[in-house]
Amino acid sequence: MGNNGSVERRTVLKAAGASVAALGLAATTGCGGGGSGAGDGTVTIRYAWWGADERAKRINRSIALFEKKYPKIKVQTDFQDYVAFWEKFQTQAAGGNPPDVFQNAVGFLRKYDKRGILLDLKSQIDAGNLSLKNFRAGVEKVGQVDGKQLGIPVGSNTMSLVVDEKVFEKAGVDPKQGWTWDEYFAALKRIHDTQKVAGDTGYFSIMYLYDLYLRQNGKAFFTEDGLGFDEADLTEWWADGYNRVKAGIITDPKRVEQDKPKSSLSAGHAASEFTWDNFTVRYTAEGDSSYGLAPIPTTDGRQTGQYLASLMLSASAHTKHPEEVARFIDFMVHDPEVGKIMGYDRGILATTEQFDAFQPSDAPSKAIAQYEKDVAAAGVLGAITPHPAGADTVEAAFLRIGGDMSQGTTKVSDAVKQFFSEAKTALSA
């Protein structure tokens, strides 16, 4: 979950399946432990993250504040784009020399905990070096896996539906909390028939959206140790999506590829797109229309299956400076001035201290904050299911195979079998 929304995530996921190979390259890399110490008691910790230049500028300004408050702790920084970050991290982790503290996401928690890479931060919480107080809507639980605190959220986000407000208004479509999938698909058809534009850019290969649909129906994409649905479930979902592509209600996948790096929504070739709410600032920057956030469709008229996800900070089990790392994480997630600097770059600020300190001035950020308030007030937020090791590779396969299916290069039945085969391999590695 980064700055560029769907574009960044799709780029990243193409490389996700390379993790095992990358780890194999690192047999002689690094020599254990992280950070360093000086004769005067000053220690240096290494902090790595992914993102664009703007995120780096904001983080470096935040680090300057931290080093002013803690002059005996110096922070050495390293950042790349998403793909390069994980390639480098996998090599460092395999060599026993990962960064002391690093940006992380839920799909990687069990993967790297299984390999002994992640520090359980509970000991530092118990020691008073890191606080779990004042997190919004219980988002701190996103970093809790198998009784361990493996990550501390820096921001929160939830799945949303971004709509071209002008097109929806012209078509006479007004989404309300609790609207159903039948109503949503009827709206897409109405938009297609009256406005001569596809209703959606292609919902069926978004793993996190399918997870919401499954949760609405008493299942989930993942259980704690595997997949929570079967081939019949996915066949129905993908066949339905493919039929809507053929009917023109969904943007032609070839057009979606041609529009990149823009979204087909901001390019004017669709009227809506499902994505994480904090990614929505991209559409205003890319497009010429006005864009808003609409509720997730439901099965029963109430439950959306939504939960808060998060970018988070994790620590290395190899660090030589766990106390200093904990103090750094605590500062980065609680300090109000850091909240003002970071804004919603990594999602809606996770703690009340930072959320209250930052007052967004631009319309997209105000809309994102209001959307999360509205979702929380609707009482539909549940708890995210911790992802099993290999979830990142499974997500990449779901996106890739779903895309092939939508273009007609793979039959639905063959695509489903291929996905389950690849998922089984990834989850058993």
Side-chain angles (χ1 to χ4, degrees):
M1 302 139 220
N3 286 7
N4 259 347
S6 302
V7 172
E8 178 179 282
R9 190 153 198 79
R10 287 169 183 162
T11 301
V12 167
L13 291 173
K14 291 178 182 178
S19 60
V20 175
L23 285 167
L25 296 175
T28 60
T29 302
C31 53
S36 61
D40 63 354
T42 300
V43 302
T44 299
I45 59 174
R46 295 158 49 216
Y47 173 33
W49 68 90
W50 68 82
D53 288 343
E54 179 60 29
R55 179 175 296 175
K57 292 176 184 177
R58 293 174 186 266
I59 288 177
N60 284 327
R61 286 174 59 196
S62 301
I63 288 172
L65 291 181
F66 173 79
E67 291 182 335
K68 184 176 181 179
K69 182 175 181 179
Y70 295 97
K72 293 292 186 181
I73 306 175
K74 303 300 179 185
V75 182
Q76 178 183 326
T77 63
D78 185 18
F79 84 99
Q80 288 92 21
D81 64 31
Y82 191 110
V83 174
F85 172 87
W86 285 112
E87 288 176 347
K88 184 172 184 178
F89 182 85
Q90 289 157 4
T91 299
Q92 292 172 324
N97 193 34
D100 296 274
V101 59
F102 50 92
Q103 191 168 286
N104 205 353
V106 66
F108 299 94
L109 293 180
R110 272 208 171 97
K111 175 176 182 174
Y112 286 110
D113 181 49
K114 182 179 178 180
R115 298 175 184 177
I117 304 300
L118 302 183
L119 177 67
D120 182 359
L121 291 163
K122 273 196 170 182
S123 60
Q124 294 302 316
I125 294 168
D126 293 342
N129 300 323
L130 175 58
S131 174
L132 279 188
K133 294 180 179 178
N134 301 328
F135 280 85
R136 298 175 48 251
V139 72
E140 74 279 1
K141 294 182 176 63
V142 176
Q144 296 173 0
V145 175
D146 302 329
K148 304 174 184 178
Q149 189 77 45
L150 300 178
I152 305 295
V154 293
S156 68
N157 56 7
T158 190
M159 286 296 295
S160 67
L161 175 64
V162 186
V163 301
D164 185 319
E165 294 176 318
K166 294 180 180 179
V167 174
F168 266 60
E169 183 178 356
K170 288 178 181 177
V173 178
D174 184 19
K176 300 291 187 182
Q177 187 75 38
W179 70 329
T180 65
W181 287 101
D182 286 343
E183 291 171 327
Y184 172 66
F185 290 128
L188 298 191
K189 187 176 188 308
R190 180 177 178 84
I191 288 168
H192 172 260
D193 292 346
T194 64
Q195 305 304 307
K196 308 307 178 185
V197 64
D200 183 270
T201 61
Y203 61 90
F204 39 78
S205 60
I206 302 172
M207 185 191 82
Y208 285 99
L209 178 66
Y210 187 43
D211 185 33
L212 299 194
Y213 178 80
L214 289 168
R215 288 163 66 93
Q216 292 174 19
N217 290 278
K219 299 185 179 183
F221 196 99
F222 291 116
T223 64
E224 291 192 355
D225 55 3
L227 297 178
F229 60 100
D230 58 28
E231 291 190 13
D233 296 320
L234 184 55
T235 298
E236 180 181 18
W237 178 257
W238 272 352
D240 182 77
Y242 180 74
N243 289 335
R244 295 185 199 282
V245 171
K246 295 297 108 179
I249 296 172
I250 304 299
T251 310
D252 184 336
K254 294 179 181 177
R255 169 58 69 181
V256 173
E257 289 299 319
Q258 292 169 2
D259 286 336
K260 291 179 180 178
K262 273 190 174 183
S263 162
S264 287
L265 171 58
S266 49
H269 297 134
S272 67
E273 181 166 276
F274 289 96
T275 189
W276 297 103
D277 59 1
N278 66 305
F279 288 168
T280 59
V281 294
R282 68 173 293 206
Y283 302 99
T284 299
E286 289 180 355
D288 298 322
S289 190
S290 60
Y291 306 94
L293 291 163
I296 297 292
T298 70
T299 298
D300 63 1
R302 172 168 169 74
Q303 294 300 327
T304 64
Q306 284 171 278
Y307 44 77
L308 291 183
S310 176
L311 281 181
M312 61 190 81
L313 297 181
S314 292
S316 166
H318 296 270
T319 184
K320 296 177 181 177
H321 307 293
E323 179 180 337
E324 289 81 1
V325 163
R327 292 191 183 281
F328 175 71
I329 294 175
D330 188 79
F331 184 86
M332 295 297 275
V333 300
H334 288 287
D335 185 81
E337 291 303 312
V338 172
K340 292 179 183 178
I341 292 170
M342 293 306 304
Y344 294 164
D345 180 87
R346 297 176 297 186
I348 305 298
L349 293 156
T351 60
T352 56
E353 298 99 321
Q354 294 191 344
F355 181 82
D356 293 341
F358 175 69
Q359 299 298 321
S361 57
D362 62 291
S365 292
K366 288 180 179 179
I368 295 167
Q370 188 61 50
Y371 179 76
E372 288 209 6
K373 288 180 180 178
D374 291 346
V375 170
V380 298
L381 288 174
I384 189 172
T385 303
H387 292 19
D392 55 324
T393 305
V394 173
E395 183 182 0
F398 193 79
L399 178 65
R400 170 175 45 81
I401 298 169
D404 291 343
M405 177 277 302
S406 68
Q407 295 185 52
T409 58
T410 304
K411 292 181 180 179
V412 171
S413 58
D414 292 338
V416 170
K417 286 183 171 57
Q418 181 183 351
F419 169 74
F420 272 84
S421 175
E422 292 192 20
K424 181 178 179 181
T425 299
L427 297 173
S428 62

